[in-house]
Amino acid sequence: MEYAAAVSNLKGIGDKTQKLFASVGAETFGKLLMFFPRTYLLYPEPIEDADKDAPHKAAVLTRVPRGVTLKKTQRMDIALARTTLKTSELELVWFRMPYIRSKVLPGKHYVFYGNLFRERSGVYKMEQPLVFTPEEYDEIQRRPQPVYHLTKGLSNNAVIKAVRTLFADGGKIEEYLPPDILQKRSLAGYSKSLYQMHFPDDFDALLTARQRLVYSEFFDFFVRMQLEAKDQIKVSNPWNFHADAYFQKVKDALPFALTKGQEETIHVIRNDLTGEYVSQRLIQGDVGSGKTILAFLLMVLAAENGCQSALMAPTEVLAKQHYETFCGYIEKYGLPFSSVLVTGSTKGAARREVNERIANEKSLLIVGTHALFTEKMTYHNLALVVTDEQHRFGVKQRKMLSEKGRDPHVLVMSATPIPRTLAMILYGDMDVSVIKDVPAKRLPIKNSVVKKNKRKAAWKFIKDEVEAGHQAYIICPLVEASEKTESENVTEYGKALREYYGGSVAVDILHGKMSAAEKERVMTKFAANETQVLVATTVIEVGINVPNATVMVIEDANRFGLAQLHQLRGRVGRGEWQSYCIFIDGSDGDELSERLVVVRDSNDGFAIASQDLKLRGPGDFYGIRQSGDLNFALADIYQDADVMQQASEDVKALLACDPHLMKTEHQPLLAHLKLSEEVIYTNL
Ligand code: ADP
Ligand code: MG
C-alpha cells in the first residue's frame, strides 16, 4: 500500500472530501488506516412491542399485514406502513423512498431499526427506519458497527465507505513482524487486524485485532527507542553550574518552605547538572506537588551561570501562565535576568525580536510551547530544557538541538502516575525521581458525587464561595450542543449560568475552538479574579494554576476517565483555603457510577491509577486515556501493561541478535519503521 498517498486517490473522494478527511487527521492512506473507530455500536435486541420503557433507538420485529402504501404529496413521495403490536400501534414512515414498497412485503417478518417516538395520539412512530430480514438482522447484530470521529460535512457512512474502498483498492498491506514473534505471542496478521479494527466480524475478532495492534504499537515504539538509544552515546557535560548565589537567595526568600520531596528532587538535579554527563531525568509528582517552582529555581541557576534555559509547556495558555509567574518572581526578587515567551501566536516583529534575543542573549529564561523547538530557532547557549506535563520532547528535538550546539540537560516533569518499573521501560535511559508529598499547609479537597438534580445546589454553593472571595471552575464534556449525545456543553451551560446568576457573578467560557488570543484573554481575566466562574472543557486539564479557585464542578463526570478526573480536580486545592470538588454523575438511574466513588474517596493519584485498571472491564474498550504524556493510538500503558512487557522483551531479544536490523528477514520491519515514521502517527 502507498501509505503516503492522499485519500483523494480513492474512488469517490474528491478534493472537498479530502479536506474534510485532513481536518480529522486522516488525509493519507496510512492515516486513514489508523483512523480507528471512536467506538462501536451494537444493534440492539429486537423488541416486539413498544411501551413507555421502549428505548429511543430501537429495533422492532414485526409484520406489516397490508404492506407499504405510497402517498404522493407535492414535495415528495411518502411511504407508509402500519402495524399493530401487542399493546400499541406502530407507524413506519419513509420519505423519498418509494422503492421501499417492493422491499417490505405484506405479511412477512422484518426488523425495523430507527428512532422510536410516541405521538401525542399514543401511536408509536419510526421515521426512515432501516429494514432487515430477521436473518440479516441476526448477522448484523453480531457485528459491532464502527462509529468514527466526524466533522461537519463528513458523515459516518462516508468514512465507512472510504475505509472500505481503501481496503479494496488501496493495495496490499504487508506483514512486518518476524514470524517467530507472531507465533510465540499468537498474534493475528497485520492486514487482517487493521481490517477487523474497522469492520469486526464480532466482538472477539475485535479484541484479537486490537491485541495485535497494541502489540505492534509497543513493539514499534521500543524498537525505535532502542535503535536511537544505540546512537546516543553518553555526552560529557559541557556546562558549568557552580555559581548558586541567586538560586539560594530566591529559595530562601520564597513565601513557603520547600517540601521534603521538592528539596530532595532539587538536590538530585543539582548533582545531575554538575555531573560528568549531560543528564535526562523524569520527575513525577502528583498535581499540586509544586513542580513549577523547581523549574524556576533551576532556570535561575542556569542563568546565574551564564546559560539559557527553556521551559516547554503543552499549551499556549499554560506557557503564558508560566511566563507571567516567572516575570513576577524576577521582579519580586530583583533578579538581573529576563524571561521571554515564544508560542505559535508570537508573530511578526515580536517574534523576530524574541528570536534575535534567543540567538544572542546569555542567561535568558525562555518559556514557550512546541514553537520553541522548530527548525529555525537558534539558541545562544541552551543548557537546560524543562518540559512540563508532557513527554513530547523526544529524541528528534534533542538531536536537532545537539546539531546546533551543545547538548542541554533535559528534565521532564509529569503528573501522570506511572509505576517505577513501567517508567523504566517507557522512558528508557532516563533517570526517574518522584516527589511524594504535597505542600503541608494544604487542606485535602472535599469531594462529593451527586446526580444532576443537585445542580442548582452546586450553583448556589459556588455563589457562596464567590461571595467569600473565591472562584470556581465548571467542566462540561462538549463545546456546543451535539445531536449525538445529551452531554452538557460549555456554550449553552455558560448562557444558562449567566442567566441564573443574573450579573451577580461574572461567568466566562473557555474551550479549544477559541483562538489562542481569546483563550489567553479569558485566562488572564480569570487569573486576575475579574471573572469568578469559568465554564470550560478539559482544555484546563493540564497545569493551570489559579490558587484562589476553590470549587470544581465536573458535569457528566461519569464520561471522563479516572486519571482525567483526578487531573481536573487538581486545578483546585492549590491555595491555603478549603477546596471542593463536585462530580455530577449524568448516568441514568439513582446509582452512583463506581468510578466516581473511587475519586470521591481518594485524593491520591497513584492510588487512583491502580484502581483505574480494575474498574476497566472489556466494556471500556479504549480504556481511559491517561492525560498528559504517552498517548498511543490504541495501547494503554495500564490496561496493556502485560503486552507492553512482552513487546519490550521481544525487542530486546531481537536487537540482541540483530542490533541494526541488517538480516534479510528483518527488512520488512525496517521498511515499516521508516514508513510509519513519516506516515503513521508516532510518539517520537
Ligand atoms: P504542579 O506540581 O501541579 O505543577 P504547581 O507547581 O503549579 O503544581 O504548584 C501549585 C501551587 O503550589 C502553586 O501556587 C505554588 O506556588 C504552590 N507551591 C509550590 N510549592 C509549595 C510549597 N512547598 N509550599 C506551599 N505552596 C507551594
Ligand atoms: Mg504544573
Side-chain angles (χ1 to χ4, degrees):
M1 180 175 285
E2 282 287 334
Y3 291 96
V7 290
S8 56
N9 288 301
L10 294 173
K11 223 178 18 201
I13 296 186
D15 288 348
K16 209 173 120 215
T17 321
Q18 165 79 31
K19 279 209 186 94
L20 293 172
F21 273 105
S23 74
V24 294
E27 68 271 30
T28 60
F29 286 11
K31 288 186 177 175
L32 185 59
L33 266 185
M34 298 292 155
F35 187 59
F36 298 127
R38 166 171 74 77
T39 180
Y40 300 84
L41 188 116
L42 279 175
Y43 279 99
E45 238 356 90
I47 52 176
E48 292 181 28
D49 191 22
D51 56 28
K52 65 175 188 356
D53 296 327
H56 177 53
K57 274 254 182 246
V60 183
L61 172 69
T62 185
R63 295 184 295 179
V64 281
R66 268 167 289 151
V68 178
T69 54
L70 212 54
K71 202 164 93 185
K72 283 188 186 290
T73 71
Q74 244 174 4
R75 284 179 48 228
M76 61 178 131
D77 291 343
I78 303 177
L80 287 167
R82 220 178 154 97
T83 173
T84 308
L85 306 172
K86 267 191 206 112
T87 62
S88 53
E89 292 275 305
L90 175 68
E91 186 175 59
L92 303 157
V93 188
W94 294 269
F95 305 107
R96 297 193 177 90
M97 292 171 69
Y99 49 85
I100 206 82
R101 221 166 18 146
S102 55
K103 199 170 170 194
V104 178
L105 304 174
K108 283 187 68 173
H109 272 100
Y110 295 97
V111 176
F112 299 97
Y113 174 81
N115 289 336
L116 191 66
F117 313 92
R118 190 171 179 276
E119 302 262 81
R120 221 175 286 156
S121 63
V123 172
Y124 284 85
K125 193 168 176 179
M126 231 185 218
E127 289 181 352
Q128 309 290 85
L130 300 176
V131 182
F132 303 94
T133 64
E135 299 75 42
E136 282 170 346
Y137 196 77
D138 256 6
E139 167 68 16
I140 193 170
Q141 224 193 329
R142 278 194 292 123
R143 294 177 181 274
Q145 305 294 311
V147 180
Y148 293 94
H149 275 290
L150 302 172
T151 183
K152 206 171 168 193
L154 186 67
S155 71
N156 203 51
N157 275 334
V159 180
I160 291 177
K161 232 172 102 194
V163 180
R164 284 205 186 278
T165 315
L166 177 65
F167 279 106
D169 307 340
K172 193 161 181 283
I173 299 165
E174 304 284 349
E175 181 56 68
Y176 70 93
L177 285 179
D180 51 324
I181 290 185
L182 288 175
Q183 201 182 2
K184 180 173 170 201
R185 302 296 183 195
S186 316
L187 297 170
Y190 191 47
S191 173
K192 182 173 176 200
S193 300
L194 287 168
Y195 184 84
Q196 290 290 322
M197 270 312 285
H198 290 278
F199 310 115
D201 288 338
D202 52 37
F203 196 67
D204 283 343
L206 180 58
L207 291 180
T208 309
R210 180 183 181 277
Q211 180 85 357
R212 157 64 207 258
L213 296 173
V214 164
Y215 181 93
S216 270
E217 250 189 308
F218 284 132
F219 187 91
D220 296 4
F221 177 80
F222 290 132
V223 175
R224 284 215 178 81
M225 196 167 85
Q226 300 275 332
L227 288 178
E228 264 149 3
K230 282 200 202 326
D231 294 344
Q232 278 210 313
I233 7 150
K234 285 203 165 180
V235 180
S236 59
N237 182 0
W239 311 104
N240 180 351
F241 270 76
H242 290 287
D244 69 355
Y246 282 107
F247 168 86
Q248 288 298 350
K249 179 181 157 193
V250 176
K251 190 157 151 311
D252 294 342
L254 288 175
F256 45 76
L258 295 184
T259 63
K260 191 158 157 280
Q262 284 172 317
E263 285 284 7
E264 282 168 7
T265 310
I266 280 269
H267 181 75
V268 173
I269 299 168
R270 286 201 60 191
N271 277 346
D272 283 353
L273 297 179
T274 50
E276 194 176 341
Y277 299 106
V278 167
S279 65
Q280 293 171 41
R281 181 174 292 276
L282 169 69
I283 299 172
Q284 287 189 18
D286 206 352
V287 282
S289 60
K291 296 184 290 292
T292 315
I293 190 70
L294 296 191
F296 181 73
L297 285 169
L298 293 162
M299 290 170 81
V300 168
L301 190 69
E304 67 181 306
N305 285 287
C307 295
Q308 294 181 327
S309 55
L311 174 67
M312 179 169 77
T315 63
E316 287 202 10
V317 171
L318 204 52
K320 176 94 194 305
Q321 186 187 314
H322 286 327
Y323 168 73
E324 276 161 5
T325 307
F326 287 8
C327 290
Y329 287 146
I330 287 172
E331 195 184 313
K332 180 167 168 195
Y333 300 118
L335 303 177
F337 316 118
S338 49
S339 183
V340 289
L341 177 69
V342 185
T343 70
S345 39
T346 322
K347 290 202 178 100
R351 180 61 182 260
R352 277 196 297 279
E353 192 204 314
V354 170
N355 284 4
E356 184 76 3
R357 290 185 69 184
I358 292 176
N360 297 306
E361 195 171 320
K362 291 201 300 188
S363 298
L364 207 52
L365 285 76
I366 305 160
V367 180
T369 56
H370 264 80
L372 280 178
F373 298 105
T374 54
E375 301 294 329
K376 54 178 192 284
M377 297 295 291
T378 311
Y379 289 86
H380 181 63
N381 62 348
L382 184 64
L384 173 67
V385 173
V386 185
T387 79
D388 187 22
E389 302 290 353
Q390 246 150 337
H391 179 59
R392 291 222 193 122
F393 188 79
V395 176
K396 264 189 203 148
Q397 284 98 332
R398 211 170 296 146
K399 264 196 186 137
M400 188 203 97
L401 282 178
S402 52
E403 275 158 19
K404 287 183 183 178
R406 289 174 291 177
D407 289 88
H409 294 280
V410 175
L411 267 181
V412 175
M413 304 199 301
S414 168
T416 308
I418 308 175
R420 205 184 172 81
T421 46
L422 256 172
M424 309 256 283
I425 302 181
L426 283 168
Y427 289 88
D429 295 342
M430 232 178 227
D431 296 312
V432 181
S433 311
V434 181
I435 308 177
K436 290 203 189 70
D437 42 8
V438 290
K441 233 171 69 188
R442 246 174 248 160
L443 298 163
I445 298 169
K446 291 195 174 153
N447 304 303
S448 64
V449 182
V450 296
K451 288 285 179 178
K452 284 200 179 206
N453 58 4
K454 292 280 162 52
R455 175 184 295 150
K456 287 275 159 67
W459 289 3
K460 170 83 181 51
F461 179 70
I462 289 177
K463 188 159 189 228
D464 294 344
E465 281 292 297
V466 167
E467 278 165 5
H470 298 302
Q471 289 165 280
Y473 298 99
I474 300 180
I475 307 300
C476 299
L478 302 177
V479 174
E480 49 208 16
S482 151
E483 285 168 15
K484 280 174 222 90
T485 115
E486 279 165 22
S487 300
E488 297 301 328
N489 72 84
V490 167
T491 315
E492 285 172 10
Y493 200 102
K495 257 188 225 151
L497 199 61
R498 276 187 190 126
E499 219 158 85
Y500 175 84
Y501 289 136
S504 60
V505 173
V507 177
D508 221 336
I509 65 172
L510 183 75
H511 57 72
K513 287 191 181 168
M514 293 161 68
S515 72
E518 269 179 297
K519 277 190 270 189
E520 191 184 304
R521 190 182 47 76
V522 170
M523 268 324 293
T524 309
K525 278 175 72 181
F526 188 70
N529 198 1
E530 284 168 35
T531 35
Q532 283 83 45
V533 180
L534 190 58
V535 182
T537 56
T538 53
V539 288
I540 65 136
E541 171 185 340
V542 262
I544 295 295
N545 186 38
V546 178
N548 190 44
T550 54
V551 188
M552 167 63 70
V553 175
I554 306 177
E555 287 281 353
D556 293 307
N558 51 304
R559 296 200 21 159
F560 296 102
L562 281 182
Q564 199 172 21
L565 291 170
H566 179 63
Q567 274 281 343
L568 287 168
R569 170 172 59 191
R571 302 307 110 215
V572 297
R574 300 172 83 86
E576 60 202 271
W577 309 279
Q578 178 63 57
S579 288
Y580 306 86
C581 183
I582 303 169
F583 300 99
I584 300 192
D585 185 346
S587 63
D588 296 334
D590 300 331
E591 276 196 21
L592 299 180
S593 143
E594 203 179 343
R595 281 191 283 139
L596 297 182
V597 172
V598 171
V599 265
R600 180 191 66 192
D601 294 345
S602 174
N603 281 326
D604 176 349
F606 284 75
I608 289 172
S610 63
Q611 281 285 343
D612 209 358
L613 264 179
K614 293 179 206 143
L615 283 178
R616 270 184 277 152
D620 247 332
F621 189 66
Y622 280 96
I624 287 150
R625 278 270 164 271
Q626 297 303 319
S627 36
D629 32 284
L630 298 169
N631 281 321
F632 291 92
L634 282 176
D636 179 302
I637 55 171
Y638 290 95
Q639 183 173 291
D640 304 312
D642 48 344
V643 182
M644 179 163 93
Q645 183 71 43
Q646 293 174 353
S648 157
E649 284 167 18
D650 295 349
V651 167
K652 260 197 207 119
L654 176 84
L655 293 178
C657 78
D658 185 8
H660 300 285
L661 299 179
M662 303 301 271
K663 293 192 180 165
T664 337
E665 69 259 36
H666 297 147
Q667 291 323 294
L669 169 56
L670 206 57
H672 167 84
L673 291 174
K674 250 196 209 111
L675 203 86
S676 60
E677 185 167 31
E678 290 146 29
V679 184
I680 298 171
Y681 163 77
T682 79
N683 230 32
L684 290 168

